[in-house]
Structure formats: C-alpha cells, structure tokens
Amino acid sequence: MNAIALAVIGIFIFILGYRFYSKFIAEKIFKLDPNYVTPAHRFKDGVDFVPTNKFVLWGHHFTSVAGAAPILGPAIAVYWGWLPAVLWVVLGTVFAAGVHDFGTLVLSVRNKGQSVGTLAHRLIGQRGKVLFLFIILILVLMVNAVFAWVIAKLFISYPASVIPVFIQIPLAIWIGHAVYKKNKKMLIPSVFALVVMYITAIIASQVSFLQIDLVQYMGGENGTGIFGLDPISTAFFIWIIVLMVYVYIASTLPVWKLLQPRDFINSHQLIVGLGILYLGLLFTNPEITAPMTNPDADISWFPLLFITIACGAISGFHGLVSSGTSSKQLDKETDARFVGYLGAIGEGILALISIIAVITLFPDRESFFATYSSFQASNGAGLGAFIEGATNLAQGLLIPAEVASTIVSIIVVSFAATTLDTSVRLMRYIISELGVEYKIPSLEKKHVATTLAVGASAALVLLPEGPNGFGSGGYLLWPLFGTANQLLAGISLLLISIWLKKLGRNYMITIIPMVFLMFMTLWAMFQQVFLQWAWYAEQPSMLLFIFGAIIFVFTLWIILTAVQALLNKTDPGFSEDE
C-alpha cells in the first residue's frame, strides 16, 4: 500500500471524529455550558489556576501528553506489522483517547479542578481513592525516571540539539513576561522563538564548537570520567542532575512564567514538525516496505499491542494532565472539546506519521526483519528507526540530513522535557493530596512535595543499575508502565461512567472503551506478572512480580468497588457540580 494513501485515510477519519463524534459528546453527553464558572476563574491564584486562551492551553495540553511515547510506542509496535498498529492508533484515538482525555477534563472542571485520583473518593469511596493514588504515584515516578534517561541519551547522541533546547527556556520566560505583564500577544513572539531555535539548530549542526558533547570533552569513550565513572556514564550523571534541577524550578514556577509559553512554542514545533514530515511524505512518496502483518512474531500482538501503543491511541497519563494541570487553566467549559479531544487527535496524527516513518525506512522486507528480528530487538530499535525514518522524510524537502536529524531530535527532546516537568508537577499535586488525606501538613507545602518528587525520581534514575546501564534505573520498573498506564485509563473511563450514570446520562460512550481496554490490559498484565516474571517462570523478576502483583490486585479491588458504585441507583443527592 502507498504510504500517502495510508496517511490520507487516517487523517480523514481523525477529521470525522473531531467534527461529528466529539460534537455529539460535547452537546448531548457532557452538555457543556459556556456560562459555567470554571475552576481557573473560581480559584484564580496566578500560580496553578490561571484562565488561559484555548489555543495556548491546547499547546500546553498537547505537548504535555505527547512526550516521546506516541513516537516510541508505534515505532515498536510495527514489529507486528503496520496494519494492527494503524488500526489501533486511528480507531483508538477517535473512540477511546478522545473520549477519555475530553471526559477527564470535563469531570475535573465540574469538580473544582481536582485530579482523577482525588475524584475517586467522591465517586467510589475512600478506599478506592488511596489505591488509585498509589497506582498513579508509581506511574508518574516511572515517567520521570525514564524520560530523564531518554533526554540525557538524546543529548549525548545528538549534542547539536543541546543549545537549541536550552535557548528555549529564556525565550519562554521572556514571552510569559511580555504576555502576562505587558499584555502582549503570544503568537508572534512564539513564532520568533521557534525561528531562533531552528536557526540555532542549523548552525549548531554545522559547527562542532556549538555541539555540547560531554563525552568528547572527556576524551571520548575511552577517556576519563569523574567519580570512577566512564565518560558516557559521567555524561549521563551530569545531564540527569541538570534535568532534575530544571524540573524542580519549572514545576514550582507559576504556569504562565515558563510552562505555558514554552509549551506554546512546542506546539508550533509540533505543527512545523508534522508539516515537514507530512510534506516530506508527499514529496518523497515512499513505498511501505514493512509487512502488513507479521505471522512469525515471537510474541503475539493480542493483547500486547494495546499496551505497547498507549499514547497515540489511549493513555492514562493524559487523564492526569487533563485533570491535573489543564483543568485548572480552562477559560470556558466549551473549550474542553478543543483542548481535550483535539489534543488526542493531534497525538494520533503524530503516532500515525511515526508508524509511516518507520515502515518506509527500510529498502525491503528483509532489511526490516533484520532490525525488527524480535519484539525485544524492536524495543531497542524503535526510537532510532523513527529518527532515521523521519530524517528521510524531511530530506524530501531538501533539508540536509544533519539538520533534519538535529531538528527531529530537538522535537523529541522538547516534548519529553515538557512531559517530564508536567509529570513532576503532577507528582507534587499527588503528594500534597496525600498530605491532606493523612493529615500531614508539611506534605501540602509546594517545595516539600516537589523535593520529595524530584528526590524520588533522581534516586530511581541514579541509584539502581538499570538494564541500559548507569542512569537507566527507571527501566527496572518500565516493563510495568504499559499496563499500569492503560489500567489508569480504564479506571478513569470507569469514573467518568459512574459520574454520567449518577447524572442520569448515557454512559455507553465511556463504558464500551473501558471494558475493551480493561479486558486487554488485565489479560496482558496477568501474562506478564504471573507467567513471565513470577519466580517459577522462565524470566523471573521478583521486583516486577511484586510491584505488578500489587498493582494487579489493587486494580481488581478498584474495579469491584467501582462496579458496585456503577450498579447503585442514581444518588438523589448527587449534583453535577461539587
């Protein structure tokens, strides 16, 4: 099949989903009210609760949920062939991700901007809330640890991307000051900042002096590092410390100072990046050389596909962002459709081009299988295959390979950094909520909660030796991410269903994707935890088995509690707002 035709079909379905399905949900199910006083106005504090233009908020929401996952997951999942991956991305985005992201945003807005973890208390009770918060805490901790490693690795592999990425920080602070203190518009300065970044990227890719290559500074891979570490491990250590300092500052600043303007710049990066890749696709007109399906796969795609592609189809982390930061900045309730559902569509478009970049990269099917020889091999090759494939597409616009690879790496790093500091901010919220729950006032303080969040993330990254060497400690738990993330999405859909049921509204739009997702995820998790990681299995891992078994049991407990709440008759005292 021609790659252009595949892209056109996918985008056409995305357009139909936003134009008709999301409109139906907004008007008939959620019944959005343009006059509703949102938490951003009701609790306006200039730090977390800030009424925000819907285009700016879309930029924050989308770049926070996008990260590297909608690129990495699809790039791995093509191991089973491109057809299952494309179907799950397109249909999952329209019927599951859009509903989930949109729904958690509306649910939070109608409940004081509280997170889905806190809302579990109101909808399924105290016990369910604590269990749910535990799962969320583990999830964001994994995201923090692994994304720090991914960014550090990209800085080491693509040193020309360092200056363009860091130059974005002062530019974003300048834009935030101009917009909120000088009443300037954000669009033109953001475009200017993006131009500065890309000009810097072009220069840095050609001038070695501007490439911050820490390994070379220490004499290359055979040189001398510090603290008894080799140069590559030393580079990881330095970049991870720098990142942790950055996320501490970024996650405690008022959202308008850095987070909003930087994410708005990144949203332009997305538009420019997607424009380059899709136009490059049009001009290069590549053939798909990867197989439609892979009948010889060493691991079945069913049900693992549905946890391998999370972001880009449906992801529980999106619900955390929707109900964690986006709901506190929503200016009008009717903006929720644009921010929530269209944010999911944007991610689906990114996941689609990620698939196309990889399945058109290889000259023939044999080359594809030489790289994607097993599921484990595809895990190691996915990100590199995307960057290489995206570079090929960008070259269709006559962009030199060095410049194209630098720009692609900047996009990946920028999105990953956005997800990282949003995730740390979410972890701070959760720790504060636990402080309220267990009456520990010190945990409610911003800097105490942030110190715990950053300290725990840094400890997981640096202390244990991970499977990818020093600095990859987060990967020890990462095999749990796919299932934990999808369980979180399923539970969030269940909470929205209970809320709709209590309001006497049709909840089929959330209960159907919830049942599908829960079934697939619990099945996959049972296979991994009890047949793969248990002490009697072929690949035992007591760490994964213990954490996985706890999450599995907690999830079953939450589901049973939630189903009881769902089957109860509508609570006559239950109001739409809290």
Side-chain angles (χ1 to χ4, degrees):
M1 186 175 185
N2 182 275
I4 294 177
L6 187 63
V8 169
I9 292 171
I11 291 174
F12 182 66
I13 295 174
F14 288 145
I15 292 172
L16 291 180
Y18 182 71
R19 176 67 181 82
F20 296 105
Y21 194 50
S22 74
K23 187 170 186 289
F24 165 76
I25 295 169
E27 295 178 353
K28 304 298 182 185
I29 306 297
F30 294 149
K31 300 181 180 179
L32 302 184
D33 179 2
N35 298 315
Y36 182 77
V37 181
T38 62
H41 291 280
R42 196 171 163 191
F43 306 110
K44 184 176 177 181
D45 62 2
V47 178
D48 295 319
F49 292 87
V50 179
T52 304
N53 175 284
K54 70 177 183 181
F55 295 100
V56 176
L57 184 55
W58 182 87
H60 155 69
H61 180 82
F62 173 73
T63 54
S64 295
V65 301
I71 294 170
L72 187 56
I76 293 171
V78 295
Y79 168 67
W80 291 297
W82 59 263
L83 183 61
V86 168
L87 287 176
W88 176 228
V89 163
V90 174
L91 299 180
T93 295
V94 171
F95 294 107
V99 178
H100 169 268
D101 298 9
F102 185 12
T104 47
L105 181 57
V106 174
L107 177 64
S108 177
V109 166
R110 284 284 173 168
N111 288 274
K112 302 178 181 177
Q114 294 175 328
S115 72
V116 287
T118 301
L119 290 173
H121 188 184
R122 184 178 181 221
L123 295 167
I124 59 175
Q126 169 70 10
R127 186 188 304 151
K129 172 189 172 182
V130 174
L131 298 177
F132 196 28
L133 283 177
F134 173 81
I135 296 175
I136 294 172
L137 206 56
I138 293 293
L139 188 76
V140 293
L141 185 60
M142 285 190 281
V143 169
N144 296 344
V146 169
F147 274 51
W149 183 87
V150 168
I151 296 170
K153 181 176 175 59
L154 287 171
F155 277 160
I156 294 170
S157 301
Y158 301 94
S161 67
V162 175
I163 289 181
V165 167
F166 276 93
I167 207 171
Q168 187 186 37
I169 297 172
L171 289 171
I173 293 174
W174 165 66
I175 293 170
H177 182 77
V179 170
Y180 284 94
K181 296 300 181 182
K182 304 292 184 182
N183 293 319
K184 304 290 185 184
K185 297 292 183 184
M186 192 177 284
L187 179 61
I188 300 301
S190 299
V191 173
F192 169 75
L194 189 63
V195 171
V196 170
M197 285 178 65
Y198 282 173
I199 289 176
T200 309
I202 292 170
I203 296 173
S205 65
Q206 303 296 326
V207 180
S208 59
F209 174 73
L210 297 177
Q211 299 174 11
I212 310 301
D213 192 338
L214 298 184
V215 177
Q216 289 303 316
Y217 293 166
M218 289 177 279
E221 295 184 13
N222 297 320
T224 305
I226 60 175
F227 305 132
L229 300 171
D230 61 56
I232 293 179
S233 297
T234 302
F236 266 111
F237 178 76
I238 293 172
W239 282 131
I240 286 168
I241 294 300
V242 169
L243 288 168
M244 290 299 155
V245 172
Y246 160 75
V247 295
Y248 186 99
I249 297 170
S251 61
T252 52
L253 284 175
V255 289
W256 59 267
K257 276 193 176 177
L258 175 60
L259 186 141
Q260 281 186 356
R262 187 213 45 204
D263 292 355
F264 197 52
I265 298 171
N266 284 341
S267 69
H268 296 323
Q269 278 211 71
L270 168 77
I271 294 169
V272 171
L274 287 177
I276 290 174
L277 296 180
Y278 277 98
L279 280 176
L281 172 68
L282 193 63
F283 281 99
T284 54
N285 190 21
E287 286 297 321
I288 297 173
T289 51
M292 180 182 291
T293 59
N294 179 8
D296 299 323
D298 59 347
I299 295 177
S300 171
W301 66 275
F302 200 86
L304 282 184
L305 171 72
F306 305 102
I307 61 171
T308 301
I309 301 180
C311 297
I314 180 171
S315 162
F317 186 76
H318 296 192
L320 297 183
V321 175
S322 289
S323 65
T325 56
S326 300
S327 64
K328 296 176 177 62
Q329 302 172 62
L330 197 72
D331 185 27
K332 296 178 181 177
E333 191 179 58
T334 44
D335 293 347
R337 177 188 170 211
F338 183 86
V339 174
Y341 198 96
L342 195 60
I345 292 289
E347 195 172 64
I349 292 173
L350 179 59
L352 181 62
I353 196 63
S354 175
I355 292 172
I356 291 173
V358 175
I359 63 178
T360 58
L361 167 65
F362 302 93
D364 50 44
R365 183 170 298 199
E366 288 71 26
S367 301
F368 174 85
F369 281 121
T371 301
Y372 282 73
S373 56
S374 66
F375 182 64
Q376 186 174 0
S378 68
N379 273 274
L383 185 59
F386 165 75
I387 292 178
E388 205 175 332
T391 300
N392 284 350
L393 294 179
Q395 286 183 273
L397 299 180
L398 303 180
I399 299 174
E402 298 82 6
V403 175
S405 63
T406 300
I407 290 176
V408 171
S409 62
I410 289 171
I411 293 173
V412 176
V413 169
S414 298
F415 284 4
T418 303
T419 302
L420 179 61
D421 62 46
T422 298
S423 178
V424 171
R425 187 180 285 263
L426 292 171
M427 195 169 176
R428 187 240 295 175
Y429 293 161
I430 295 166
I431 292 172
S432 296
E433 289 174 5
L434 288 171
V436 174
E437 185 66 40
Y438 291 104
K439 296 181 173 53
I440 307 174
S442 59
L443 292 183
E444 299 176 38
K445 295 179 180 177
K446 180 170 66 177
H447 289 287
V448 172
T450 306
T451 300
L452 287 174
V454 173
S457 303
L460 182 57
V461 175
L462 295 173
L463 295 182
E465 180 79 14
N468 295 320
F470 177 78
S472 65
Y475 277 93
L476 291 171
L477 292 176
W478 191 247
L480 286 167
F481 175 80
T483 48
N485 189 42
Q486 299 305 63
L487 289 175
L488 179 60
I491 295 169
S492 297
L493 285 170
L494 192 49
L495 294 178
I496 302 168
S497 303
I498 293 170
W499 181 64
L500 291 173
K501 168 82 169 10
K502 286 179 178 289
L503 295 176
R505 297 180 190 172
N506 186 343
Y507 55 94
M508 286 298 109
I509 59 138
T510 50
I511 204 77
I512 292 174
M514 185 280 293
V515 170
F516 176 82
L517 193 63
M518 280 294 195
F519 178 75
M520 291 298 172
T521 308
L522 286 173
W523 181 4
M525 194 169 199
F526 181 85
Q527 284 186 338
Q528 289 183 321
V529 174
F530 298 104
L531 303 182
Q532 182 178 345
W533 297 328
W535 68 93
Y536 48 80
E538 292 183 358
Q539 301 172 339
S541 169
M542 288 310 294
L543 182 70
L544 293 175
F545 174 75
I546 291 171
F547 273 92
I550 291 172
I551 293 174
F552 188 83
V553 172
F554 279 12
T555 301
L556 291 179
W557 202 336
I558 293 170
I559 291 173
L560 288 174
T561 307
V563 169
Q564 285 180 329
L566 188 66
L567 295 177
N568 284 341
K569 293 182 178 178
T570 303
D571 183 351
F574 193 89
S575 63
E576 188 166 357
D577 306 338
E578 180 65 17

